[in-house]
Each structure stands twice: as C-alpha cells, then as structure tokens.
Amino acid sequence: QVQLVESGGRLVQTGDSLRLSCAAPGRTFSRSHMAWFRQAPGKEREFVAGISRSGSLTAYGDSVKGRFTISRDNAKNMVYLQMNSLQGEDTALYYCAADAQAILTSPPPTTSRNYDYWGQGTQVTVSS
C-alpha cells in the first residue's frame, strides 16, 4: 500500500498564505505525476494543481490560477502547494495524489480517476 502524507493545513485568515507539503515513497514518486485536489463539505472533489514527473509541466484549476503554485523536489520525494491570497472559498480538505502510470512527456491529468494513490488529506480553513 502506497502512503502519501500531507501536512501544513491549518486555520488562516483571508488574504494569508500557506504552504502544503506531501511526502511520497521514493519509488512511487519518481515515476508519478503529482497533484493536489480539494473537497469542501457538500461539494465534489476538485482539481487544484498538478505537476509532471519531471516538474516541467504544471496545470491549475481555474479558481486558483495566479494564486497557487505547485512544485516538487525530486531529491526529497516531496510535492508542495504554495497558496497565496487565500479566500473563504478555499476552505476544504486538501488531498495529495499520485498518477503512477505517468508518461514522462505528458502533462499531469486534471481528473481524479487518473490518480492511483491518495493521501488522507489536510484541512485548510480560511476565516474572515
């Protein structure tokens, strides 16, 4: 069983910044596109950001473009989500996911069904 472990979620104020981290096993991480999804109560899981195996390609959900940045450190088997200008609508449980079938030159998928492994989630709450 591949375990992804998210961290960094907490209660913040509107306009604050926050960085989420996700640790993955090395063998899985090296061959995977990585992504962040989020799910708010009563809503469907939403794609937030994705990054290709090499880190050269990224994708973002429309609601976070220009505010969030995904990155990865392949030496540390870590993926990060830098979130700036946080708003109440960003309140959700944030999940890290790995697409272990990733093709090296392809962009990261934006749909959850393409991802094989998931973490337990880290809660981000934005208060006004």
Side-chain angles (χ1 to χ4, degrees):
Q1 181 71 17
V2 174
Q3 187 173 12
L4 307 181
V5 180
E6 304 99 334
S7 61
R10 61 181 177 89
L11 174 65
V12 296
Q13 301 295 312
T14 299
D16 283 354
S17 296
L18 192 63
R19 189 177 83 157
L20 304 183
S21 301
C22 172
R27 292 183 64 183
T28 297
F29 189 82
S30 64
R31 68 176 191 268
S32 295
H33 293 332
M34 300 296 295
W36 290 93
F37 288 78
R38 67 186 183 186
Q39 189 166 19
K43 295 187 177 181
E44 294 186 353
R45 191 167 295 189
E46 175 190 17
F47 173 77
V48 176
I51 189 165
S52 62
R53 284 174 57 179
S54 66
S56 62
L57 299 173
T58 58
Y60 293 93
D62 288 341
S63 62
V64 306
K65 282 181 182 176
R67 299 189 298 124
F68 291 10
T69 303
I70 189 171
S71 61
R72 65 189 293 162
D73 186 334
N74 287 344
K76 296 182 179 180
N77 302 326
M78 297 287 294
V79 63
Y80 306 101
L81 184 67
Q82 177 66 42
M83 304 185 292
N84 298 330
S85 302
L86 283 162
Q87 305 164 7
E89 307 88 86
D90 297 316
T91 294
L93 189 60
Y94 283 72
Y95 296 93
C96 177
D99 170 13
Q101 313 301 319
I103 298 172
L104 183 60
T105 55
S106 68
T110 60
T111 53
S112 60
R113 65 176 182 272
N114 291 107
Y115 289 85
D116 307 291
Y117 304 110
W118 295 80
Q120 295 298 308
T122 186
Q123 178 67 38
V124 173
T125 303
V126 184
S127 173
S128 57

